[in-house]
Amino acid sequence: MRQLQLREAKTTLSAVVEAAENGEPTTITKHGRPAAVVISYAEWTKLKTRVPSFADLLLAVPPLDPGDLPKRRPARIVRKGGFK
C-alpha cells in the first residue's frame, strides 16, 4: 500500500483516485500519522456490506433463560421522614 503525505496527496489527487480504481489503496498521512485511506468505490461497497448493523447484531443474540441473568439485589428501604 502506497503512503503519501497530505500535501502530496492534494497535488496528485487524480493519480491517487486512479490508483484506487486500479485496486491500489493509498494511505494518506498527516504529520507522519495515518489519517485516511483512499480505496475504490467497489472496495468500499464490499467492506460496507460486511459490517452488520446494530439491529442485526441484536437479533442474532440467542434467547436468554431466566437462569442466565444475574440475581437482583433487594431494593433499598427508604425510612419514613426522608433523609437527614
Side-chain angles (χ1 to χ4, degrees):
M1 183 182 304
R2 188 167 70 158
Q3 260 192 325
L4 294 175
Q5 292 179 355
L6 179 58
R7 179 183 65 239
E8 188 179 353
K10 283 180 181 179
T11 60
T12 60
L13 183 59
S14 296
V16 171
V17 171
E18 190 172 325
E21 288 177 328
N22 293 326
E24 183 186 343
T26 302
T27 300
I28 299 174
T29 61
K30 195 174 180 183
H31 305 294
R33 292 177 295 190
V37 177
V38 179
I39 59 174
S40 69
Y41 182 79
E43 185 66 26
W44 178 78
T45 304
K46 282 187 223 172
L47 290 172
K48 185 180 172 192
T49 57
R50 284 189 216 157
V51 178
S53 70
F54 184 66
D56 291 336
L57 291 173
L58 288 176
L59 291 171
V61 173
L64 294 174
D65 292 327
D68 293 336
L69 300 173
K71 299 281 185 203
R72 290 186 64 178
R73 294 186 302 179
R76 294 187 321 181
I77 299 173
V78 179
R79 296 180 185 163
K80 289 184 180 180
F83 298 104
K84 292 184 181 183

